[in-house]
């Protein structure tokens, strides 16, 4: 702490992302990165980018990317907002919409960045518990609120809500905004982008970090009613005129063009996820049904912290949250089939593991 810190920053508890170790030879299954490289076209666009252009500022409106997203999702361009990763889009969203007299409602277990933003912007919020099976019960969200946010599929649980339930929520929650964070939607859930065409009270946020293998490029976006997008633009233009650099725009536009590669890699991850889930179940894990690129699983007898430490000692990194209620669970990102085989083999060698036969 320094005497130069303002009072407000002394109170902050920043988000702690999963470890990005500097050593090689680790099987990294702790931050939900995609094990496959970005689309060949995206790599090509970045390699062949005319670097001398970097002398100039990037397009403050990121028009090429907005147009590409509008075409891809079949919406008008004025329904698209882009930012430096969906974390930035979320930060601007909280600032633009959630500073309200009534509290923001969100699940007790969800992306842990949300309450960090609440503290940053001094937003009052209320956490609503999940059901015992870790699903979100949207009936709990029938109360006066200054907004609602959840991830769908949710993180770190992996469970997805059906669109009909989200639509019912939008029907009855007309006076405040519902934000659906769809960071993992491409791994098997249904997107609320379709609902955003008919409802002006929903904002859908997605990212290129997970399903498009571009976590390092930092590109996220939001789709919703033009007046919501306008609100985000007002905040963005009061904060940073050029959140997306030229390379991020070129790479993400090219990634959107390769639909076959996108389908192939997301399919591979879904297949590997289902294989891994069945292997874990044979070892005595309870695995939450997942529509994401990770599994949330707890072993019946061996504690989560113990397993995380054991795997770490064998150079396999998984995520463990020491939060009560989920502290027995591991969040395991889906890697390549080879990486998941290694995870399973390593777990089988744990001294207390009993493996059931097929
Ligand atoms: C990974 C993740 C994000 C952040 O994605 P970036 O675009 O890389 O900032 C947002 N929300 C959830 C739920 C995530 O898991």
């Amino acid at each position: 702490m320094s005497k130069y810190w303002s009072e407000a920053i002394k109170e902050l508890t920043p988000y702690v992302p999963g470890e990005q170790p500097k050593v090689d030879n680790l099987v990294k299954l702790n931050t939900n990165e995609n094990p496959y490289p970005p689309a060949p076209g995206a790599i090509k666009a970045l390699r062949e980018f005319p670097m001398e252009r970097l002398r100039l500022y990037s397009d403050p409106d990121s028009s090429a990317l907005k147009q590409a997203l509008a075409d891809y999702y079949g919406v008008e361009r004025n329904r698209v907002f882009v930012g430096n990763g969906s974390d930035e889009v979320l930060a601007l969203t909280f600032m633009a919409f959630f500073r309200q007299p009534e509290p923001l409602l969100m699940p007790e277990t969800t992306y842990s960045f949300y309450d960090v933003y609440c503290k940053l912007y001094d937003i009052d919020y209320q956490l609503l518990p999940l059901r015992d099976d870790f699903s979100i019960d949207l009936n709990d969200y029938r109360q006066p609120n200054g907004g609602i946010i959840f991830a769908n599929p949710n993180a770190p649980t992996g469970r997805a809500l059906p669109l009909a339930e989200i639509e019912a929520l939008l029907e009855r929650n007309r006076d405040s905004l519902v934000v659906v964070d769809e960071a993992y939607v491409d791994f098997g859930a249904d997107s609320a982008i379709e609902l955003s065409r008919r409802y002006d009270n929903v904002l859908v946020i997605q990212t290129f970090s997970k399903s498009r293998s571009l976590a390092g490029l930092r590109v996220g976006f939001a789709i919703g009613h033009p007046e919501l997008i306008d609100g985000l633009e007002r905040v963005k233009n009061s904060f940073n005129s050029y959140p997306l650099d030229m390379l991020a725009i070129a790479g993400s536009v090219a990634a959107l063009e390769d639909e076959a590669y996108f389908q192939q890699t997301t399919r591979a991850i879904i297949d590997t996820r289902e294989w891994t889930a069945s292997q874990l179940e044979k070892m005595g894990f309870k695995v939450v049904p997942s529509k994401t690129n990770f599994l949330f699983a707890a072993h019946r007898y061996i504690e989560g912290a113990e397993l995380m430490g054991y795997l770490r000692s064998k150079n396999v990194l998984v995520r463990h949250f020491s939060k009560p209620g989920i502290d027995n669970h591991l969040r395991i990102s889906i890697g390549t089939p080879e990486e998941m085989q290694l995870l399973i083999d390593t777990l089988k060698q744990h001294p207390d593991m009993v493996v059931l036969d097929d």
Side-chain angles (χ1 to χ4, degrees):
M1 189 170 327
S2 150
K3 67 175 178 179
Y4 303 111
W5 285 15
S6 62
E7 282 308 311
I9 74 161
K10 289 182 195 163
E11 303 301 317
L12 296 180
T13 30
Y15 176 74
V16 185
E19 192 185 352
Q20 294 291 356
K22 302 288 181 289
V23 290
D24 293 336
N25 301 325
L26 285 177
V27 179
K28 206 172 161 302
L29 307 175
N30 67 329
T31 50
N32 298 342
E33 287 142 329
N34 197 307
Y36 300 110
I43 294 177
K44 184 162 180 281
L46 293 170
R47 283 228 171 91
E48 294 175 2
F49 189 84
M51 291 297 168
E52 59 285 355
R53 285 218 334 246
L54 291 176
R55 181 176 70 77
L56 304 169
Y57 281 107
S58 60
D59 172 12
D61 189 47
S62 303
S63 307
L65 177 56
K66 283 185 182 170
Q67 189 60 55
L69 285 164
D71 294 345
Y72 187 86
Y73 290 104
V75 299
E76 297 85 48
R77 196 168 90 187
N78 64 359
R79 291 179 166 266
V80 183
F81 179 80
V82 296
N84 189 264
S86 59
D87 283 342
E88 184 185 76
V89 178
L90 284 163
L92 299 174
T93 296
F94 274 66
M95 180 150 212
F97 307 117
F98 290 157
R99 290 185 302 173
Q100 303 287 352
E102 300 284 355
L104 173 69
L105 305 180
M106 63 171 118
E108 185 178 289
T109 299
T110 188
Y111 189 36
S112 44
F113 225 135
Y114 304 153
D115 58 42
V116 173
Y117 295 132
C118 286
K119 285 169 192 144
L120 176 65
Y121 297 129
D122 211 9
I123 294 166
D124 186 19
Y125 63 100
Q126 193 181 331
L127 300 175
L128 299 169
L130 299 179
R131 296 193 187 99
D132 288 344
D133 66 359
F134 292 118
S135 59
I136 297 174
D137 187 351
L138 288 180
N139 291 313
D140 295 344
Y141 293 68
R142 292 171 194 266
Q143 49 178 301
N145 65 75
I148 295 173
I149 186 166
F150 51 85
N152 191 49
N154 198 13
T157 67
R159 270 196 184 273
L161 284 166
L163 270 196
E165 284 187 33
I166 297 177
E167 180 161 15
L169 173 71
L170 299 179
E171 279 291 344
R172 65 175 183 260
N173 194 80
R174 291 286 184 174
D175 296 327
S176 76
L177 180 67
V178 176
V179 173
V180 186
D181 178 352
E182 295 187 347
Y184 301 102
V185 75
D186 295 327
F187 299 106
D190 294 322
S191 174
I193 288 176
E194 176 202 320
L195 298 176
S196 76
R197 284 185 252 256
R198 284 183 283 128
Y199 293 88
D200 64 0
N201 56 342
V202 64
L203 184 74
V204 178
I205 298 180
Q206 290 194 15
T207 176
F208 282 68
S209 296
K210 315 283 167 48
S211 57
R212 296 192 183 270
S213 304
L214 287 170
L217 205 60
R218 312 304 305 129
V219 182
F221 60 95
I223 293 184
H225 191 277
E227 285 170 12
L228 295 174
I229 303 304
D230 262 357
L232 286 171
E233 297 290 354
R234 288 172 72 89
V235 181
K236 173 245 167 195
N237 289 321
S238 306
F239 183 71
N240 180 1
S241 304
Y242 312 101
L244 272 85
D245 61 69
M246 289 179 182
L247 292 165
I249 295 170
S252 53
V253 167
L256 275 181
E257 284 163 5
D258 199 338
E259 182 63 12
Y261 184 82
F262 169 73
Q263 293 296 342
Q264 178 198 325
T265 48
T266 45
R267 188 74 245 166
I269 288 166
I270 292 169
D271 292 345
T272 309
R273 175 186 76 207
E274 296 311 309
W275 177 84
T276 308
S278 69
Q279 295 293 312
L280 289 172
E281 277 164 359
K282 281 186 203 161
M283 260 185 273
F285 279 89
K286 280 184 275 181
V287 184
V288 180
S290 170
K291 297 282 187 200
T292 63
N293 67 340
F294 59 84
L295 290 168
F296 197 55
H299 195 267
R300 281 172 216 276
Y301 310 115
I302 314 171
E303 283 180 6
E306 154 63 27
L307 281 174
M308 196 260 312
Y310 164 77
L311 287 170
R312 183 80 178 81
S313 75
K314 304 286 180 191
N315 290 335
V316 179
L317 245 55
V318 298
R319 193 98 197 254
H320 171 259
F321 301 89
S322 28
K323 180 178 155 155
I326 59 168
D327 54 352
N328 226 2
H329 282 73
L330 299 178
R331 192 198 66 188
I332 305 168
S333 309
I334 303 302
T336 60
E338 296 73 31
E339 287 173 317
M340 302 323 277
Q341 183 73 60
L342 198 129
L343 166 89
I344 298 295
D345 292 346
T346 309
L347 282 170
K348 279 183 182 163
Q349 285 157 20
H350 187 281
D352 300 331
M353 197 66 75
V354 180
V355 184
L356 307 175
D357 286 327
D358 288 284

